[in-house]
Amino acid sequence: MLGWVVPPPKRPIKTKKELLEERREKIQWLIKQNFLKSQRIINAMLKVPREEFIPELYRDYAYLEVPLPIPGRKATISCPHSYPLFYETLELMEHDKFLEVGTGSGYGAALAMEIVGTKGKVVTIEIDEETYEFARKNFERLKYKDILPILGDGSLGYLPEAPYDKICITASCPKIPDPLIYQLKFGGKLITPIGSPRSVQDLILMEKEQDGTLKTKSIGNVLYVPLRGKYGWSDYF
Ligand code: SAH
């Protein structure tokens, strides 16, 4: 997974129809590779145009299996397979109250919104102002008005909407931030990469059982940008 090569920026030439065709092919591939299983997540991936969450000069690469740069410090839109990997593992479903730490492009939050539906709720937090503005404009243009975007340190969670059924951190942490464990419902699940930004990291699923017992399990290796903020890497060294 180390050493992704980001293709060079170029003016986009692909038509909407071509990108839709690429999206359908990508979804078939994700199903074949066993990343994508549940119908609700398949439908969400078919519906959300990933290319709309990518800066113009990288838009034609929307369906390549690479993370792509977006505005802000070290911000990226994660590669396509990581979304079903996170959401299938979390068992994200209709009605869920969902918190995402690391809004990035907003693509992950848009997919989550399609999955949880209007009876659920999506709260997403971004620490970088420029990235936050990029995502906010994407939500506005694509009419995702029910998503609640927050500018701030997501390692502290977001208490006004807590507790959450599912929490996903899309940046790598030194350890799972205590406030996020606290803001998880009993019976809830949290997924996050854990480990140094200088190496591959462990993708960890944590379940908080009805009696409060915490169970963790390792899902595999991933490569994410470092979590910043109080419980992130910046204050760790
Ligand atoms: N989920 C995103 C990809 C996120 S990339 C998408 O779908 O596009 C990771 C993001 O986490 C970056 O934008 C980075 O700025 C943000 N981030 C890092 N530390 C954070 C923190 N403490 N709180 C909120 N966001 C954070």
Side-chain angles (χ1 to χ4, degrees), residues 81-96:
H81 85 267
S82 61
Y83 297 87
L85 175 64
F86 274 52
Y87 294 168
E88 294 280 6
T89 307
L90 270 182
E91 295 181 85
L92 189 63
M93 58 182 81
E94 196 175 7
H95 299 272
D96 272 349

Side-chain angles (χ1 to χ4, degrees), residues 75-77 83 100 102-103 105 108 125-127 153-154 170 225 228:
T76 56
I77 178 168
Y83 297 87
E100 178 188 45
T103 312
S105 63
I125 315 180
E126 174 56 53
I127 202 165
D153 178 5
T170 63
V225 301
R228 287 152 62 186

Side-chain angles (χ1 to χ4, degrees), residues 21-61:
E21 198 43 49
E22 286 191 18
R23 191 186 321 150
R24 289 180 175 148
E25 279 168 17
K26 176 98 256 178
I27 287 156
Q28 287 312 316
W29 181 83
L30 290 168
I31 294 170
K32 257 199 206 126
Q33 298 292 315
N34 254 327
F35 285 116
L36 242 182
K37 297 173 194 102
S38 52
Q39 197 56 49
R40 241 187 129 73
I41 304 184
I42 295 173
N43 291 348
M45 291 203 69
L46 279 170
K47 186 163 176 199
V48 180
R50 180 174 162 88
E51 61 274 18
E52 292 289 336
F53 293 84
I54 295 178
E56 197 186 350
L57 297 178
Y58 292 98
R59 192 158 296 162
D60 276 1
Y61 308 126

Side-chain angles (χ1 to χ4, degrees), residues 1 35 78-79 81-90 101 167-173 176 190-196 199-207 215-225:
M1 286 239 181
F35 285 116
S78 309
C79 50
H81 85 267
S82 61
Y83 297 87
L85 175 64
F86 274 52
Y87 294 168
E88 294 280 6
T89 307
L90 270 182
V101 176
I167 298 178
C168 138
I169 311 176
T170 63
S172 183
C173 319
I176 302 177
L190 177 153
I191 193 165
T192 182
I194 300 272
S196 157
S199 61
V200 287
Q201 304 124 14
D202 225 4
L203 184 63
I204 297 289
L205 176 72
M206 171 182 271
E207 297 191 48
K215 275 201 175 151
T216 57
K217 114 172 151 198
S218 171
I219 305 299
N221 286 340
V222 288
L223 196 54
Y224 273 78
V225 301

